[in-house]
Amino acid sequence: PDDQLQAGLQSATAPLFVFAKYPEPHPSLNPTVQVVLRPRPASLPTSPTALLRIATETLQRAFQDFRFVEPIGTAQVSGMPAAYMKAAYTLKTATGQSHKVLARTWLVPRGTFMFLIGMSGAAEGEDVAETEFASALRSIVIEE
């Protein structure tokens, strides 16, 4: 029930799930998919694109070279209204490595919750993973 889920999410920090293309540890950027479920504060707008704009502000502050590859726009995930964007930035690890990242993000509001679906991989080469990510997105089912 949503009230039980809401109570559990107040202290949750982990995604619902994360999976990667390669077993860890992996020597370079490992293409990953993660789905996060968060409460949607009543003070925030209900529009998927407005919510994604707010969520993206954190990324823009965190990565100096953050840039939109595809701007925030409308989408559908599992038949539900959603917002989508694709961005590029450089991820720097604690060990000093740098990776050019191509990230795709969908935000799907569902009642008092919102699903954030993130898929990221290399910005070029075989691990851009567009085919794998498209397949993963089609497999996601969100019930109303």
Side-chain angles (χ1 to χ4, degrees):
D2 277 1
D3 59 340
Q4 290 177 353
L5 187 57
Q6 180 80 29
L9 284 173
Q10 297 308 314
S11 60
T13 58
L16 293 176
F17 70 84
V18 176
F19 62 91
K21 184 173 182 178
Y22 304 109
E24 288 291 347
H26 184 68
S28 62
L29 189 63
N30 195 352
T32 59
V33 174
Q34 79 172 357
V35 176
V36 177
L37 181 63
R38 295 283 182 257
R40 185 187 56 79
S43 61
L44 293 182
T46 57
S47 155
T49 54
L51 288 167
L52 187 53
R53 268 189 207 91
I54 292 167
T56 303
E57 290 172 1
T58 303
L59 290 172
Q60 291 173 310
R61 285 192 300 271
F63 299 102
Q64 291 180 350
D65 64 342
F66 178 95
R67 66 178 175 79
F68 286 104
V69 174
E70 292 181 28
I72 296 171
T74 60
Q76 290 231 330
V77 174
S78 189
M80 300 181 79
Y84 167 77
M85 66 102 176
K86 186 186 284 188
Y89 55 87
T90 303
L91 175 67
K92 296 181 182 179
T93 68
T95 61
Q97 292 181 314
S98 291
H99 301 282
K100 296 289 185 186
V101 176
L102 186 58
R104 305 116 185 108
T105 304
W106 293 263
L107 186 144
V108 186
R110 183 193 168 275
T112 58
F113 302 101
M114 55 187 179
F115 288 89
L116 285 161
I117 302 163
M119 301 183 188
S120 59
E124 57 186 33
E126 66 183 49
D127 284 333
V128 172
E130 291 293 356
T131 302
E132 294 96 331
F133 291 152
S135 178
L137 184 65
R138 285 190 303 273
S139 74
I140 294 173
V141 176
I142 300 172
E143 294 182 0
E144 290 199 45

